[in-house]
Amino acid sequence: MHEQNYRKAREQAGIKAERAAAELGVSITTLFNWERGDTNPDADKVKAMARLYRVSPDYLLAME
């Protein structure tokens, strides 16, 4: 499994986990599960994260 850049992008955007979870409409546990790679967000959440963190979905998925 490739490593995603969810946490890296969030931290580089200067967004605290609590705010990210609230804006994405998920629990902090869910956000941390995504960042650890325990579970994966659906495509709509990846797009929402990309907008929030101001990066491309490909960057989040470590494809660029």
Side-chain angles (χ1 to χ4, degrees):
M1 182 169 145
H2 65 279
E3 181 178 332
Q4 291 94 0
N5 291 319
Y6 304 137
R7 178 173 296 186
K8 182 177 174 183
R10 177 177 59 76
E11 291 174 347
Q12 287 178 338
I15 297 173
K16 295 203 177 287
E18 294 81 4
R19 176 182 159 208
E23 292 204 26
L24 294 168
V26 299
S27 70
I28 194 81
T29 301
T30 296
L31 182 74
F32 286 149
N33 283 340
W34 294 344
E35 290 185 350
R36 282 193 308 269
D38 294 342
T39 59
N40 294 303
D42 64 25
D44 288 336
K45 293 297 184 191
V46 171
K47 289 181 206 172
M49 273 191 282
R51 283 191 300 273
L52 180 61
Y53 303 159
R54 295 193 162 110
V55 296
S56 71
D58 283 348
Y59 174 81
L60 287 177
L61 299 171
M63 298 176 79
E64 62 176 41

